[in-house]
Amino acid sequence: MIVILTSAATERNREDIVENLESRGYNVHVSVGVEKTIIGIIGIGPEEKAEVADQFEALPFVERCVPISAPYKLVGKAFRPEGTRINVRGIVIGGEKAVMMAGPCTVESEEQLMSAARAVKAAGAHILRGGAYKPSTSPYSFHGHGVEALKMLAAAREETGMPIITEVMDVRDVETVCEYADILQIGTRNSQNYNLLREVGKVQTPVMLKRGMSGKIDEWLQAAEYIASSGNYNIMLCERGIRTFETYTRNTFDINAIPAIKELSHLPIIADPSHGTGKASLVSAVTLAAFAAGADGAIVEVHPNPEKALKDGAQSLTPAAFEDLMKKLAGLLPVVGRTL
Amino acid sequence: MIVILTSAATERNREDIVENLESRGYNVHVSVGVEKTIIGIIGIGPEEKAEVADQFEALPFVERCVPISAPYKLVGKAFRPEGTRINVRGIVIGGEKAVMMAGPCTVESEEQLMSAARAVKAAGAHILRGGAYKPSTSPYSFHGHGVEALKMLAAAREETGMPIITEVMDVRDVETVCEYADILQIGTRNSQNYNLLREVGKVQTPVMLKRGMSGKIDEWLQAAEYIASSGNYNIMLCERGIRTFETYTRNTFDINAIPAIKELSHLPIIADPSHGTGKASLVSAVTLAAFAAGADGAIVEVHPNPEKALKDGAQSLTPAAFEDLMKKLAGLLPVVGRTL
Amino acid sequence: MIVILTSAATERNREDIVENLESRGYNVHVSVGVEKTIIGIIGIGPEEKAEVADQFEALPFVERCVPISAPYKLVGKAFRPEGTRINVRGIVIGGEKAVMMAGPCTVESEEQLMSAARAVKAAGAHILRGGAYKPSTSPYSFHGHGVEALKMLAAAREETGMPIITEVMDVRDVETVCEYADILQIGTRNSQNYNLLREVGKVQTPVMLKRGMSGKIDEWLQAAEYIASSGNYNIMLCERGIRTFETYTRNTFDINAIPAIKELSHLPIIADPSHGTGKASLVSAVTLAAFAAGADGAIVEVHPNPEKALKDGAQSLTPAAFEDLMKKLAGLLPVVGRTL
Amino acid sequence: MIVILTSAATERNREDIVENLESRGYNVHVSVGVEKTIIGIIGIGPEEKAEVADQFEALPFVERCVPISAPYKLVGKAFRPEGTRINVRGIVIGGEKAVMMAGPCTVESEEQLMSAARAVKAAGAHILRGGAYKPSTSPYSFHGHGVEALKMLAAAREETGMPIITEVMDVRDVETVCEYADILQIGTRNSQNYNLLREVGKVQTPVMLKRGMSGKIDEWLQAAEYIASSGNYNIMLCERGIRTFETYTRNTFDINAIPAIKELSHLPIIADPSHGTGKASLVSAVTLAAFAAGADGAIVEVHPNPEKALKDGAQSLTPAAFEDLMKKLAGLLPVVGRTL
């Protein structure tokens, strides 16, 4: 980390800083410039860096602290350069095979879920998605069937053999959801709900961590670091679109984030084009794009009868559109060295 | 609400929609245009609107649904046009007197807290702020002293007579925090943590709800509606800056939101210029601006010794700067029909 | 267009509006709701819509005007559903074949340009790019060699047979640039320089219109409408990344915009992953993604010796990386029904 | 400036960089860290910094360059710490007296302009605003009466004695507009139209430079540096709201920018709450806020009959509302050490 002093800093200020740092055991390099003085701290880890920056930036003669290395460690590329592979009931996420998660946004009924599950299974999906607990902007919207929905998901797994992924929103539900789910999803609104991140870090069920709707890549990886540093290394990241000024689409899918995560982290990266666009008509194109850019998997909303979906219908594919997407995907994957 | 059909919609599609709406008991007005057909739904409340929009936007022949009235009710201006006043141990928030909340970002020690409390009390602050549970981007940063800090806050209240406000981050802590705090703060990262919103809606302790860092005004008011619809009407809103492309400041304080909330809602609005700017040098100017724009109060970080602050020191005022701010404020308030 | 009256609007206000609209010759549908009244205007074109909305939104009893159809016409999908194909010296943009434009960001010297031109030609590029006039944030940066660079580009076309694309920034330069260039580029900073748009609308040289860095899709298409309505229909759009809160990448490439433009407009869409990412390490992945999403072409910075580039070197590919990209692209295109 | 090498950089790479810098005459400090090496360049000016950063960031072993000092010089605070005062026909901008510019968005007719001019003059405005050339998103909107409008403005100046400010959009119009206008306005869409900035830098007529709708403070000051480095130091900056995700208001007025500009630059700062909010109902509150935050002036749209305004009526005050605003302002200014 580099500490940049203001042009008003005195020699005494500089010496105080250096002394303070040396007393903590760091090696320090001082570079006195014409306008400003720069102090480099050698070998400081992410743990101490946050603390030192907080303290030093409060000093009136410190202009700012510039981190040189990443504020995360366990989820950083260097920690496991070969990449993380997560085995979910035989489906490997982060390996050669691309993984497709599909299903309805919300579990509405046994019939709806089973119908969707059969359809996506037939088209080649690997993992079944479905919301039991649903975050909604309005308190008056539908919030999911809870445990009943979890049971329906388990029954669908039973029949189709597909592992299931579902969202957990509340620290008090982690235990229950773990009883049913194969992958825990942390939604965008909880991407900085640190207590929830710590709770899912205490179990070993794999976690899919969605990016906050205004989360910087850096913050997203630190959120993952919360999970890892609590003990659970089975983490996959999910790009689901960020909030921008554009209003034609619900969110702006950040395609740059796919290769960016690949160069910064060893964690698998999953694309969510349903939320990333908010428009069914754009989902197939963006799914193909995400795999072309190197995504390890995708999670797509498919509704057996999207015209009747209770929630987020606007972004759900029909089973026929999903089947068509899977066919195109089978053609595309070999170009990026993968298969379905 | 208006339902706009696509230009490809058939007469049959239109009739289906109308029939569906009429069977739910709504009055419907149909306007067949040259290009598109528009269906107006008369007298639909926020509860049903969210549901109908979800369902209809999933229909391939519906282009979009345009809400005509607000998606919230209990927190809307019309519900209580005279405005909400919240009495916190004799301090009225939302009345003629402007309210100043001040104190350290994080409660670090009894000495630090008491020193800050005395300083802000002497300068005229009404309510003492201080973090016991702190959300931090990095898992390696300091996260607050928890219950110990709550006890120190209570002791500071005992000595100074100032009510206390502190953040609650976890549904499991609501009961404990309520034992000590006079106002519960919901932080920006939890602004859409709906289960937490519901929990603080079940108690009667006043709640200060911060805007999400990428929260639209509309979503912010719906988050407040979660609290109100759970039973707690003692809500104040807090503008704390939004996330934009600008990097010189930590956030962009949305001054427009102050008068906007005043025209949309009856809830008091509090400004947080410390987080809204992230720079101590900008805090006084933006605090004065917020009151000039009509804010009911402000919450400002003051640290007895900002050079030693454990957290967010960069945005904390010194006691002297705070005192100076309070003097200017006393001059400004009468211009907008208020006093300290 | 729909005009929504405020709940305070009187019957008289409503009648005034209706009368005004009918006197202009529009058919009007009035829908009186419990809370608000809605007035639909039938068959109003984009020309009058802007004007009426401006006037009506100024009325105190009008809440807002909601456009139902698009604010552009000539560049809208319906105008030419089969899509626009632009023939540039035999290279067709918008047809079955994907088009690759490549070359250095800035033309620095004859040697640099020729070396880059030969390299990209050998790897299969169709069109040569190179900046003669360069917009730079700092007045102290290099601004391009101007006419000298245009001559070098013409010489490179002579040798390689590749048509050339280059930016025009000033209305006074349009004539000169047209003498040399096969495609005029309008840069992101000039995306709402309406006088420049009109000038390039008066010539027949094809124009590549970059999206503004904070341009909504809607505004981008209206900028294109400026060109078309001035007489030049040879327009291609270029997605070059938008400005967001993310700082890891220079811009956020909006992959959603590719299929979105395809559903809204008949104009070809070109991807610019060099500016869209700002990082050479991400360019290949995002280029492949853009084609997978349906882009008609891409424009990529390639520098014979990126270590010595005068400008934007950080986002330039080496000739070897470009060659590798072209190979992958040849594999990918058939999946989306295209070839190189 | 600091150059941060990647962890893969070799000793040879480091030596090459140092040698290159020393051969250019810079003093260099090298700090070899555990992970990364940092090279500080001493005493490099904004001119060379941009160039060196461009070149070095293209090197594969350079991670990034971190500027330590500002990328502008002539408009930076240190250049003229006492602040710039601009005298416009006896009205001083940047002095003790706050300056109010007011008038219609667009000059529509002599009658409309004179009526507005008399009203704002009577209420205490100092400078008359009015658009002769208007940028509009749609090619089908009204674009202003051009020279005819300039003549009407001059006539209004004649009668009222108020200096006039009006926008110039085209390099070809600079000379003509200078014949009539006392202050040239550069609009948000032209905030990075560098050739236009240079042209207005060649005259001595004062320039009011609006911030780009997605312009960072840093870029805005560099745009001002274009004007100053061309020879015209009579520059005032105008905050007019930035583009964010919020849709309730047209733009987000960046109140932080007012004190931020005051600490970074010596140029006067003017607030434009009409465009900064886009809603007449919010204009007064935000104008007061801007002055409370330290603005040197404001520019406000006032229309004698806003119900009939051709353009931007939604954000225009009535003469009565403007008069009321001026009264409040007279009360507020002394609090921040100013008068009207």
Side-chain angles (χ1 to χ4, degrees), chain D residues 207-279:
Chain D
V207 176
M208 184 176 83
L209 175 65
K210 288 203 167 185
R211 183 178 182 179
M213 65 182 81
S214 63
K216 297 173 82 165
I217 287 175
D218 197 64
E219 294 167 335
W220 187 15
L221 288 169
Q222 287 182 79
E225 187 89 359
Y226 263 94
I227 302 174
S229 65
S230 299
N232 188 348
Y233 284 66
N234 300 312
I235 308 164
M236 58 201 92
L237 301 169
C238 177
E239 163 60 35
R240 49 78 68 201
I242 57 174
R243 180 156 277 188
T244 69
F245 58 82
E246 181 56 63
T247 52
Y248 182 71
T249 47
R250 186 179 297 195
N251 291 292
T252 297
F253 186 85
D254 183 4
I255 190 80
N256 293 353
I258 308 283
I261 288 295
K262 284 287 166 201
E263 69 184 19
L264 293 172
S265 175
H266 55 81
L267 299 177
I269 173 84
I270 310 296
D272 174 356
S274 299
H275 290 89
T277 64
K279 275 189 144 71

Side-chain angles (χ1 to χ4, degrees), chain C residues 136 140 214 219 225-226 243, chain D residues 136 140 219 225-226 243:
Chain C
S136 285
Y140 307 120
S214 64
E219 294 167 334
E225 188 88 358
Y226 262 94
R243 179 156 279 188
Chain D
S136 286
Y140 305 120
E219 294 167 335
E225 187 89 359
Y226 263 94
R243 180 156 277 188

Side-chain angles (χ1 to χ4, degrees), chain A residues 79-97:
Chain A
F79 189 77
R80 199 187 270 173
E82 73 282 11
T84 282
R85 294 178 176 219
I86 303 171
N87 190 316
V88 182
R89 293 181 179 255
I91 306 291
V92 178
I93 298 163
E96 291 78 29
K97 293 200 174 187

Side-chain angles (χ1 to χ4, degrees), chain C residues 71-76 186-201 207-213 215-233 235-238 261 265 267, chain D residues 136-140 143 189:
Chain C
Y72 41 82
K73 196 170 58 178
L74 305 176
V75 305
I186 299 292
T188 190
R189 292 171 179 84
N190 283 311
S191 63
Q192 293 192 306
N193 181 340
Y194 299 124
N195 293 31
L196 181 59
L197 296 177
R198 281 212 193 86
E199 289 301 317
V200 300
V207 176
M208 185 176 85
L209 175 64
K210 289 203 167 184
R211 181 178 184 179
M213 65 183 81
K216 297 173 83 164
I217 288 175
D218 197 63
E219 294 167 334
W220 188 15
L221 287 169
Q222 287 183 79
E225 188 88 358
Y226 262 94
I227 303 174
S229 66
S230 299
N232 188 349
Y233 285 65
I235 308 163
M236 59 202 92
L237 301 168
C238 177
I261 288 295
S265 175
L267 299 177
Chain D
S136 286
T137 307
S138 167
Y140 305 120
H143 291 89
R189 292 170 178 85

Side-chain angles (χ1 to χ4, degrees), chain A residues 157-188:
Chain A
R157 173 177 55 205
E158 193 70 20
E159 190 194 304
T160 63
M162 285 187 290
I164 56 181
I165 176 170
T166 198
E167 178 163 352
V168 57
M169 288 173 61
D170 192 313
V171 287
R172 297 167 301 192
D173 295 332
V174 172
E175 203 181 321
T176 305
V177 178
C178 280
E179 281 174 34
Y180 298 92
D182 299 302
I183 307 176
L184 302 173
Q185 176 179 308
I186 299 293
T188 189

Side-chain angles (χ1 to χ4, degrees), chain A residues 50 54 58 60 136-138 140-141 143 170 172 189 193-195 199 214 219 222 225-226 243 306-307 310, chain B residues 47 50 54 58 136-138 140-141 143 170 172 189 193-195 199 214 219 222 225-226 243 306-307:
Chain A
D54 280 348
S136 285
T137 307
S138 167
Y140 306 120
S141 291
H143 291 89
D170 192 313
R172 297 167 301 192
R189 292 170 178 85
N193 181 339
Y194 299 123
N195 293 29
E199 288 303 317
S214 62
E219 294 167 335
Q222 287 182 79
E225 187 88 359
Y226 263 94
R243 179 155 280 188
E307 306 191 6
L310 280 182
Chain B
E47 296 87 346
D54 279 348
S136 286
T137 307
S138 167
Y140 306 119
S141 291
H143 291 89
D170 192 313
R172 297 167 300 191
R189 292 170 178 84
N193 181 339
Y194 299 123
N195 292 29
E199 287 302 318
S214 63
E219 294 167 335
Q222 288 182 79
E225 187 88 0
Y226 262 94
R243 179 156 280 187
E307 306 191 6

Side-chain angles (χ1 to χ4, degrees), chain B residues 245-246, chain C residues 133-139 141 143 167-170 186-194 196 211-215 240-243 250-251 275 311, chain D residues 71-72 167-169 171 185-200 207-227 237-238 240:
Chain B
F245 59 82
E246 181 56 63
Chain C
Y133 300 94
K134 297 297 306 172
S136 285
T137 306
S138 167
S141 291
H143 291 90
E167 178 163 353
V168 58
M169 289 172 62
D170 191 313
I186 299 292
T188 190
R189 292 171 179 84
N190 283 311
S191 63
Q192 293 192 306
N193 181 340
Y194 299 124
L196 181 59
R211 181 178 184 179
M213 65 183 81
S214 64
R240 49 76 69 200
I242 57 173
R243 179 156 279 188
R250 186 179 299 195
N251 292 292
H275 290 90
K311 202 167 178 343
Chain D
Y72 40 83
E167 179 164 352
V168 58
M169 289 171 63
V171 287
Q185 175 179 309
I186 298 293
T188 190
R189 292 170 178 85
N190 283 312
S191 62
Q192 293 191 306
N193 181 339
Y194 299 123
N195 292 29
L196 181 60
L197 296 177
R198 282 213 194 84
E199 289 301 318
V200 300
V207 176
M208 184 176 83
L209 175 65
K210 288 203 167 185
R211 183 178 182 179
M213 65 182 81
S214 63
K216 297 173 82 165
I217 287 175
D218 197 64
E219 294 167 335
W220 187 15
L221 288 169
Q222 287 182 79
E225 187 89 359
Y226 263 94
I227 302 174
L237 301 169
C238 177
R240 49 78 68 201

Side-chain angles (χ1 to χ4, degrees), chain A residues 184-228:
Chain A
L184 302 173
Q185 176 179 308
I186 299 293
T188 189
R189 292 170 178 85
N190 284 311
S191 62
Q192 293 191 305
N193 181 339
Y194 299 123
N195 293 29
L196 180 59
L197 296 177
R198 282 214 193 82
E199 288 303 317
V200 302
K202 291 179 191 157
V203 299
Q204 288 305 310
T205 308
V207 176
M208 185 176 83
L209 174 66
K210 288 203 167 185
R211 183 178 183 178
M213 66 183 81
S214 62
K216 296 172 83 164
I217 288 175
D218 197 64
E219 294 167 335
W220 188 15
L221 288 168
Q222 287 182 79
E225 187 88 359
Y226 263 94
I227 303 174

